[in-house]
Amino acid sequence: MRAKLIAGNWKMHKSVDQGLELIAQILEQYPAGTNIETVVCPPFPLLVPIRDALKRSSVKLGAQDVYYRKEGAFTGQVSAAMLRSAGCQYVIVGHSERRQYFNEDDNTVALKLRAALDAGLTPIMCIGERLEERKAKVVFDVVDRQLRIGMSALSAAEVSSIVIAYEPVWAIGTGETATPAQAQEVHQFIRSEINRRYGLENAGKIRILYGGSVKPGNAAALFAMPDIDGGLIGGACLNAIEFIQIVQAAEQK
Ligand code: PGA
């Protein structure tokens, strides 16, 4: 059984004080004894104060990006070891906004996955097609390429320890969600590709999240799909009530 995972991607939102307030609200409502693994991914300057605020809770900390070099003269960059030392267990890698606005490609994603694992972080590797690619019916080709190159520096055993987030770009921040059937179709494809390349055991273990306008109203139907192991939540994770409702929707399965 794969434990469900809900990760909140705060993107570039919240000051330190606002972030601490949101965490306080989340912890106040967080379901005791839940079997859901929950991660929050705030911006870099909020990591340490939020790590401290999460100390007595089971909610985990993640970052939104990482640089792949270990250290050196790379102004503005943050290494995987630094994230680890700031209390992170997870890091989002290759989010479509990184790919779109910061020119990240699949090779950069591969280097970042390697760096994250080497530092003891669990990467959440984001993949997903753009609208024109869906219209051109090349979804599987795009996802296959992102998977193949992105994971090219990992061993089979390492593959099952990462998390994949399938996020169709046309569904991110648009209010338009893939239907549960559309999402399941791609999740199933991803798992079958992992099976083909890395074997059944690793395919059975790896967690594949769905992301793209997940809200309390659509979460349960998405998480009920057999190959959807939770969600990467953007907009709705900035509201404690909605975020908790999404965690609860994952639990009800
Ligand atoms: P959204 O973002 O939930 O606001 O669509 C998801 C994401 O970008 O991870």
Side-chain angles (χ1 to χ4, degrees), residues 9 11 95 97 167 171-174 211-215 232-236:
N9 173 10
K11 306 193 180 183
H95 189 278
E97 287 149 18
E167 300 201 301
I172 295 179
T174 58
S213 299
V214 177
K215 305 279 178 237
L232 181 54
I233 319 301

Side-chain angles (χ1 to χ4, degrees), residues 23-54:
I23 288 296
Q25 291 168 354
I26 289 172
L27 293 182
E28 208 177 281
Q29 301 167 50
Y30 195 69
T34 178
N35 53 5
I36 305 301
E37 193 178 348
T38 305
V39 182
V40 291
C41 304
F44 291 139
L46 282 67
L47 289 174
V48 169
I50 288 184
R51 170 197 68 187
D52 295 342
L54 292 176

